[in-house]
Amino acid sequence: MSDILNFNNTETAFAAKSNMELKKAKFLFGMLEYGQLTKLAKPTLNFAFKAKLPIKGILKKTIFSQFCGGESLQECKAQIDQLYQNGEVMSILDYSVEGAENDKNFDATLETLLKICKFSEFQKQIPFLVFKPTGLGRLEIFRKVSENVPMNLSESEEWARVKKRFEAICRAVAETDNLKIMVDAEESWSHIAVDGLTESMMLKYNKERTVVFATVQLYLSKKYDYLKHLKDFGKKNGIRVGVKLVRGAYMEKERDRALARGYDSPVCPDKSTTDKNFDNGVDFVLENLDVFDLFLGTHNEISCRELVKKLYTQGIGVTDSRVWFGQLFGMSDNISFNMAKAGYNVVKYVPFGPIKDVMPYLIRRAEENSSVGSQSSREMELLKKELQRRKEMAKLR
């Protein structure tokens, strides 16, 4: 088992990449290691777009092409097909436009999600859809519902439209034969509302198969208890419960808000506590696969390896449809392709959308890669190793 899962096997990881593509990725990850550059990126890019400077072409050939599948569904098609044909890595099309604040934009996002559903329905390499709740409604509305803040008539009508959009995409996915849908992560102060909507969709659509997946962010200390709630919820109602387990993505934002508003931070105090919470969550879900489907969303090689060991120990087959692994497009190909080669169910999140609109997503990716202990140094190590391997192989020819 350990021989098959060799995350240092760069030949498998980068089989579909040309030398030029590897060198470009190496340059990009090298740049991301400089945190000061990343801090300057957001204001610089905002200024460039407002001033209508001709930067789109440069962005598209560099950071956008590394972390995004394209600007449109058709542009993504080539990337999705390549992932599958070169290693049977499947895809989740992630419409990564953020920051919408009005009904027109929310309705447009729903329309795009419905198009993704129709586009994906008969393509075996696209088993999942995903959406962010704040793509369908304002974060402030989710907060008010979560905190039980009284709303005026206009806000109540707005919330009704949010619920209607939420159900429209879940229903469309449920009406397909095999597509599943993930409700993506948001800030903790929206969770009561988001979780309530997600559970209501599970009640409707998870009776015969696992259609709807909730995201559980285990860097939040109380989320292990939420998994217990979901297990009881599933058993009580005779439904399956899909869960995507992640560590989390809003740590600084969560801590800053807690400090500013004078409440205890919901985030685990340190990385070791987060890791323990995450591991305990994985164990709990694995012990209850009679209720749960598990999607492990992580770039952590140790977490992937540990889950594989547990599957092996418990006699759970490599291709068991209840267990999935996922990484982001443009990152951790050493995990994705080596796991897929070993037969596991592996998907890549493939973000797409107009370059200007996906910049918040790209800047977040850059910030995560430039943080302490991030991906960048590991990606650089693997890229250098593969380029050196190819150089040596060329000498032998």
Side-chain angles (χ1 to χ4, degrees):
M1 179 182 63
S2 58
D3 291 339
I4 294 171
L5 268 187
N6 176 10
F7 291 144
N8 291 309
N9 184 338
T10 57
E11 184 177 3
T12 295
F14 301 120
K17 300 287 186 185
S18 68
N19 286 351
M20 186 66 74
E21 287 172 318
L22 294 180
K23 287 173 182 175
K24 184 181 79 172
K26 179 170 163 279
F27 170 77
L28 282 170
F29 282 111
M31 295 292 284
L32 291 175
E33 287 190 306
Y34 293 96
Q36 291 304 315
L37 283 176
T38 306
K39 287 177 184 176
L40 288 170
K42 193 171 186 177
T44 303
L45 289 170
N46 284 339
F47 170 78
F49 278 118
K50 283 179 183 176
K52 297 185 178 178
L53 299 177
I55 60 167
K56 181 178 172 181
I58 296 169
L59 290 171
K60 188 158 188 176
K61 289 178 181 177
T62 53
I63 189 168
F64 183 87
S65 64
Q66 179 66 31
F67 296 117
C68 295
E71 291 193 79
S72 67
L73 281 174
Q74 290 308 317
E75 279 188 20
C76 287
K77 181 78 169 95
Q79 301 287 1
I80 291 164
D81 290 346
Q82 186 183 65
L83 286 169
Y84 194 73
Q85 289 163 9
N86 289 290
E88 296 197 3
V89 172
M90 291 173 271
S91 297
I92 303 175
L93 282 166
D94 183 4
Y95 186 56
S96 295
V97 172
E98 300 180 4
E101 282 293 320
N102 59 63
D103 279 340
K104 182 180 177 183
N105 288 335
F106 297 138
D107 287 339
T109 297
L110 173 61
E111 196 61 37
T112 299
L113 290 170
L114 293 171
K115 285 178 183 174
I116 295 170
C117 182
K118 188 173 275 190
F119 176 85
S120 305
E121 183 174 0
F122 300 109
Q123 300 194 59
K124 62 181 178 181
Q125 66 268 46
I126 311 176
F128 287 90
L129 270 67
V130 64
F131 72 96
K132 282 181 75 66
T134 51
L136 302 180
R138 292 187 302 128
L139 179 62
E140 180 63 6
I141 286 290
F142 283 103
R143 181 194 70 81
K144 285 192 170 184
V145 173
S146 295
E147 296 178 356
N148 204 21
V149 175
M151 295 190 291
N152 60 35
L153 178 60
S154 174
E155 289 171 328
S156 296
E157 290 173 346
E158 183 181 353
W159 177 239
R161 290 193 294 274
V162 173
K163 291 194 287 186
K164 192 174 179 182
R165 293 184 195 106
F166 214 97
E167 171 144 18
I169 185 57
C170 290
R171 182 175 61 246
V173 170
E175 287 172 352
T176 69
D177 289 336
N178 55 356
L179 280 178
K180 298 173 272 289
I181 188 160
M182 288 183 189
V183 182
D184 216 344
E186 296 285 1
E187 293 86 344
S188 64
W189 52 93
S190 70
H191 283 188
I192 290 174
V194 171
D195 293 343
L197 282 179
T198 304
E199 288 173 28
S200 70
M201 293 299 99
M202 287 182 183
L203 274 177
K204 280 195 171 186
Y205 301 123
N206 283 18
K207 291 174 182 173
E208 295 180 10
R209 65 184 184 91
T210 318
V211 175
V212 180
F213 282 64
T215 297
V216 181
Q217 297 163 292
L218 288 156
Y219 75 149
L220 299 172
S221 56
K222 294 182 180 178
K223 282 300 176 178
Y224 180 79
D225 291 335
Y226 183 59
L227 287 174
K228 292 180 180 177
H229 160 77
L230 284 175
K231 178 198 142 185
D232 294 341
F233 171 73
K235 278 189 174 290
K236 178 184 174 183
N237 293 289
I239 60 169
R240 294 203 59 77
V241 175
V243 286
K244 180 180 75 167
L245 302 188
V246 299
R247 280 174 171 81
Y250 301 103
M251 188 175 294
E252 296 307 320
K253 196 173 184 181
E254 293 281 358
R255 285 178 174 155
D256 289 347
R257 186 178 190 268
L259 186 64
R261 301 198 176 204
Y263 62 86
D264 290 339
S265 170
V267 176
C268 291
D270 51 44
K271 188 178 186 304
S272 63
T273 311
T274 299
D275 288 340
K276 186 176 180 182
N277 207 37
F278 185 81
D279 293 342
N280 289 342
V282 173
D283 288 345
F284 182 78
V285 172
L286 211 54
E287 288 162 9
N288 293 284
L289 281 182
D290 58 321
V291 177
F292 288 112
D293 277 30
L294 168 62
F295 186 104
L296 194 77
T298 183
H299 294 174
N300 188 302
E301 295 174 21
I302 296 171
S303 295
C304 292
R305 196 179 296 280
E306 285 302 308
L307 178 52
V308 164
K309 286 179 184 175
K310 288 166 185 172
L311 294 173
Y312 180 78
T313 302
Q314 296 182 30
I316 299 168
V318 167
T319 59
D320 194 303
S321 63
R322 297 171 297 176
V323 182
W324 294 79
F325 295 81
Q327 292 81 43
L328 295 167
F329 183 78
M331 295 167 63
S332 297
D333 285 349
N334 64 313
I335 297 177
S336 305
F337 283 93
N338 282 300
M339 291 202 75
K341 187 177 181 179
Y344 294 94
N345 300 312
V346 181
V347 296
K348 284 284 198 187
Y349 268 71
V350 181
F352 79 99
I355 290 177
K356 183 180 177 182
D357 295 335
V358 301
M359 284 318 298
Y361 169 86
L362 289 172
I363 288 167
R364 201 162 66 245
R365 287 286 78 80
E367 287 170 345
E368 288 172 11
N369 273 283
S370 63
S371 64
V372 176
S374 75
Q375 256 333 85
S376 291
S377 58
R378 177 59 169 154
E379 298 285 354
M380 287 284 285
E381 174 195 342
L382 293 163
L383 290 161
K384 287 175 182 176
K385 182 183 176 185
E386 177 59 12
L387 285 165
Q388 183 61 32
R389 187 195 70 81
R390 291 184 184 187
K391 189 176 179 181
E392 290 170 4
M393 289 297 293
K395 288 178 184 176
L396 296 174
R397 292 191 186 109

XYZ file of all heavy atoms in Angstrom, residues 241-289:
384
model
N -26.031 11.333 4.697
C -25.488 12.669 4.960
C -24.122 12.780 4.302
O -23.199 12.041 4.648
C -25.367 12.924 6.483
C -24.699 14.270 6.741
C -26.734 12.872 7.151
N -23.997 13.683 3.335
C -22.707 13.927 2.708
C -21.958 15.007 3.473
O -22.535 16.049 3.795
N -20.678 14.749 3.787
C -19.872 15.765 4.453
C -18.531 15.913 3.758
O -17.856 14.926 3.452
C -19.633 15.461 5.956
C -20.885 15.708 6.759
C -19.106 14.058 6.178
N -18.167 17.157 3.495
C -16.804 17.471 3.055
C -16.074 18.004 4.273
O -16.476 19.020 4.861
C -16.800 18.517 1.933
C -15.376 18.858 1.471
C -15.356 19.880 0.357
C -15.639 21.267 0.858
N -15.337 22.327 -0.133
N -15.011 17.304 4.662
C -14.225 17.733 5.813
C -13.017 18.530 5.335
O -12.257 18.075 4.477
C -13.757 16.524 6.628
C -14.849 15.591 7.158
C -14.245 14.557 8.098
C -15.967 16.358 7.873
N -12.872 19.720 5.898
C -11.719 20.580 5.596
C -11.203 21.129 6.907
O -11.877 21.096 7.934
C -12.098 21.746 4.659
C -12.615 21.239 3.322
C -13.130 22.668 5.304
N -9.981 21.640 6.886
C -9.492 22.335 8.068
C -10.157 23.705 8.135
O -10.855 24.012 9.078
C -7.962 22.422 8.028
C -7.312 21.101 8.473
C -5.809 21.120 8.314
N -5.183 19.961 8.938
C -5.101 18.751 8.388
N -5.615 18.532 7.186
N -4.512 17.753 9.026
N -9.966 24.559 7.123
C -10.655 25.841 7.122
C -9.940 26.895 6.314
O -8.792 26.713 5.920
N -10.627 28.023 6.075
C -10.064 29.028 5.169
C -10.191 30.462 5.663
O -9.773 31.373 4.975
C -10.757 28.910 3.812
N -10.774 30.686 6.831
C -11.025 32.072 7.264
C -10.444 32.344 8.655
O -11.009 33.106 9.436
C -12.533 32.356 7.287
C -13.216 32.168 5.955
C -13.978 31.030 5.702
C -13.094 33.118 4.950
C -14.611 30.842 4.473
C -13.722 32.946 3.728
C -14.481 31.806 3.495
O -15.100 31.634 2.285
N -9.307 31.742 8.971
C -8.771 31.784 10.333
C -8.550 33.206 10.857
O -9.049 33.575 11.925
C -7.465 30.992 10.399
C -6.942 30.817 11.813
S -5.484 29.761 11.875
C -6.175 28.188 11.376
N -7.797 34.020 10.096
C -7.497 35.377 10.562
C -8.763 36.220 10.675
O -8.948 36.977 11.627
C -6.483 36.044 9.628
C -5.117 35.366 9.600
C -4.510 35.196 10.985
O -4.648 36.138 11.803
O -3.942 34.134 11.267
N -9.640 36.067 9.699
C -10.894 36.821 9.690
C -11.752 36.474 10.912
O -12.336 37.352 11.553
C -11.652 36.481 8.395
C -12.767 37.433 8.024
C -13.293 37.070 6.653
C -14.345 38.028 6.186
N -14.878 37.657 4.861
N -11.809 35.176 11.239
C -12.585 34.720 12.393
C -12.012 35.287 13.686
O -12.752 35.793 14.543
C -12.578 33.187 12.448
C -13.315 32.492 11.316
C -14.822 32.468 11.507
O -15.317 32.952 12.543
O -15.511 31.965 10.600
N -10.702 35.213 13.839
C -10.072 35.701 15.076
C -10.205 37.219 15.214
O -10.456 37.734 16.310
C -8.603 35.284 15.095
C -8.430 33.796 15.403
C -6.984 33.379 15.378
N -6.835 31.994 15.820
C -5.825 31.208 15.479
N -4.861 31.669 14.707
N -5.754 29.966 15.930
N -10.028 37.930 14.100
C -10.133 39.397 14.138
C -11.540 39.835 14.541
O -11.709 40.757 15.350
C -9.781 39.990 12.768
C -8.291 39.881 12.452
O -7.506 39.581 13.375
O -7.922 40.085 11.273
N -12.556 39.163 13.989
C -13.938 39.535 14.306
C -14.249 39.249 15.779
O -14.902 40.046 16.452
C -14.909 38.771 13.406
C -16.374 39.205 13.554
C -17.265 38.434 12.588
N -18.616 38.978 12.523
C -19.632 38.559 13.279
N -19.433 37.606 14.179
N -20.838 39.091 13.150
N -13.794 38.084 16.255
C -14.032 37.733 17.665
C -13.396 38.757 18.593
O -14.004 39.190 19.583
C -13.492 36.333 17.942
N -12.172 39.185 18.262
C -11.461 40.167 19.074
C -12.177 41.516 19.050
O -12.371 42.155 20.094
C -10.029 40.319 18.553
C -9.091 41.209 19.381
C -8.870 40.596 20.761
C -7.757 41.386 18.655
N -12.592 41.920 17.852
C -13.243 43.228 17.700
C -14.592 43.279 18.422
O -14.984 44.319 18.950
C -13.429 43.543 16.215
N -15.289 42.128 18.458
C -16.643 42.123 19.032
C -16.694 41.550 20.444
O -17.776 41.439 21.029
C -17.589 41.351 18.111
C -17.645 41.959 16.715
C -18.838 41.509 15.931
N -18.881 42.200 14.647
C -19.985 42.383 13.948
N -21.131 41.938 14.410
N -19.943 43.010 12.793
N -15.542 41.134 20.943
C -15.472 40.734 22.335
C -16.049 39.378 22.675
O -16.589 39.190 23.774
N -15.982 38.435 21.755
C -16.410 37.067 22.085
C -15.235 36.110 21.870
O -14.251 36.455 21.225
C -17.638 36.641 21.276
C -17.469 36.599 19.772
C -16.964 35.472 19.126
C -17.865 37.676 18.977
C -16.826 35.422 17.739
C -17.737 37.647 17.594
C -17.220 36.506 16.988
O -17.083 36.465 15.616
N -15.338 34.918 22.433
C -14.262 33.933 22.311
C -14.125 33.482 20.863
O -15.131 33.185 20.197
C -14.549 32.707 23.189
C -14.440 33.021 24.672
O -13.774 34.019 25.009
O -15.043 32.285 25.484
N -12.895 33.403 20.392
C -12.664 32.949 19.023
C -13.163 31.520 18.859
O -12.887 30.656 19.692
C -11.170 33.016 18.678
O -10.932 32.372 17.441
N -13.904 31.246 17.767
C -14.386 29.884 17.530
C -13.307 28.966 16.956
O -13.517 27.762 16.817
C -15.510 30.094 16.510
C -15.095 31.311 15.740
C -14.381 32.185 16.735
N -12.146 29.554 16.626
C -11.067 28.805 15.974
C -10.238 28.060 17.014
O -9.990 28.570 18.108
C -10.168 29.775 15.159
C -8.988 29.041 14.542
C -10.988 30.483 14.092
N -9.809 26.855 16.664
C -8.907 26.101 17.539
C -7.675 26.949 17.869
O -7.204 27.705 17.005
C -8.462 24.807 16.862
S -9.788 23.592 16.662
N -7.127 26.829 19.076
C -6.040 27.726 19.492
C -4.745 27.593 18.715
O -3.968 28.542 18.628
C -5.831 27.366 20.971
C -6.447 26.021 21.148
C -7.563 25.951 20.168
N -4.462 26.412 18.151
C -3.206 26.228 17.412
C -3.364 25.110 16.378
O -4.401 24.442 16.309
C -2.049 25.921 18.368
C -2.375 24.778 19.320
O -2.927 23.761 18.868
O -2.096 24.899 20.528
N -2.311 24.931 15.579
C -2.376 23.954 14.488
C -2.521 22.520 14.998
O -3.267 21.727 14.424
C -1.144 24.063 13.586
C -1.267 23.193 12.332
C -0.095 23.323 11.400
C -0.338 22.554 10.097
N -0.659 21.130 10.310
N -1.824 22.183 16.070
C -1.895 20.808 16.572
C -3.312 20.463 17.041
O -3.796 19.348 16.824
C -0.884 20.577 17.700
O -1.182 21.404 18.805
N -3.988 21.439 17.656
C -5.378 21.222 18.083
C -6.291 21.087 16.877
O -7.200 20.251 16.856
C -5.859 22.386 18.979
O -4.900 22.631 19.992
C -7.197 22.062 19.621
N -6.037 21.916 15.864
C -6.806 21.814 14.614
C -6.612 20.445 13.980
O -7.586 19.796 13.552
C -6.370 22.911 13.625
O -6.621 24.191 14.199
C -7.136 22.800 12.314
N -5.363 20.003 13.898
C -5.077 18.699 13.303
C -5.779 17.574 14.060
O -6.328 16.641 13.457
C -3.571 18.432 13.271
C -2.849 19.292 12.239
O -3.523 19.799 11.320
O -1.624 19.461 12.350
N -5.774 17.667 15.380
C -6.431 16.637 16.191
C -7.936 16.647 15.955
O -8.579 15.594 15.828
C -6.123 16.869 17.676
C -6.653 15.763 18.577
C -6.238 15.982 20.023
C -6.784 14.847 20.900
N -6.445 15.030 22.326
N -8.521 17.852 15.902
C -9.959 17.982 15.640
C -10.311 17.398 14.274
O -11.320 16.688 14.114
C -10.364 19.458 15.708
C -11.819 19.663 16.091
O -12.371 18.934 16.906
N -12.440 20.675 15.514
N -9.459 17.683 13.289
C -9.663 17.174 11.932
C -9.575 15.645 11.924
O -10.450 14.957 11.376
C -8.608 17.775 10.996
C -8.771 17.415 9.545
C -9.678 18.095 8.744
C -8.015 16.404 8.974
C -9.828 17.780 7.398
C -8.154 16.073 7.640
C -9.061 16.767 6.849
N -8.528 15.099 12.541
C -8.350 13.643 12.581
C -9.514 12.961 13.297
O -9.999 11.914 12.847
C -7.035 13.286 13.287
C -5.809 13.733 12.502
O -5.949 14.000 11.293
O -4.716 13.832 13.100
N -9.963 13.549 14.395
C -11.097 12.982 15.125
C -12.365 13.002 14.280
O -13.169 12.060 14.311
C -11.341 13.750 16.433
C -10.267 13.498 17.468
O -9.524 12.523 17.377
N -10.163 14.382 18.456
N -12.535 14.095 13.509
C -13.690 14.188 12.621
C -13.683 13.118 11.549
O -14.712 12.490 11.261
N -12.503 12.902 10.953
C -12.368 11.859 9.930
C -12.695 10.492 10.530
O -13.447 9.698 9.937
C -10.943 11.858 9.336
C -10.753 10.658 8.403
C -10.671 13.150 8.570
N -12.159 10.217 11.714
C -12.411 8.934 12.373
C -13.897 8.736 12.644
O -14.456 7.650 12.424
C -11.642 8.840 13.698
C -10.149 8.664 13.493
O -9.737 8.326 12.362
O -9.386 8.879 14.462
N -14.563 9.791 13.119
C -15.980 9.697 13.453
C -16.821 9.382 12.214
O -17.706 8.519 12.248
C -16.466 11.001 14.087
C -17.905 10.975 14.500
C -18.300 10.328 15.657
C -18.878 11.584 13.713
C -19.648 10.291 16.034
C -20.219 11.558 14.078
C -20.609 10.904 15.249
N -16.539 10.089 11.121
C -17.289 9.848 9.887
C -17.031 8.436 9.370
O -17.947 7.727 8.943
C -16.927 10.904 8.818
C -17.540 10.554 7.469
C -17.396 12.285 9.259
N -15.771 8.020 9.430
C -15.396 6.692 8.947
C -16.079 5.586 9.752
O -16.450 4.539 9.203
C -13.874 6.543 9.030
C -13.194 5.660 7.988
C -13.561 6.085 6.580
C -11.681 5.707 8.166
N -16.259 5.825 11.049
C -16.935 4.840 11.906
C -18.436 4.768 11.618
O -19.107 3.828 12.069
C -16.728 5.215 13.380
C -15.312 4.977 13.889
C -15.039 5.746 15.177
O -16.003 6.313 15.752
O -13.871 5.802 15.590
N -18.943 5.756 10.898
C -20.396 5.827 10.666
C -20.734 5.935 9.177
O -21.626 6.702 8.787
C -20.973 7.014 11.444
C -20.892 6.833 12.945
O -21.669 6.088 13.532
N -19.926 7.488 13.572
N -20.028 5.167 8.360
C -20.285 5.202 6.914
C -21.642 4.606 6.542
O -22.046 4.672 5.385
C -19.175 4.471 6.154
C -17.859 5.240 5.942
C -16.879 4.391 5.130
C -18.065 6.585 5.272
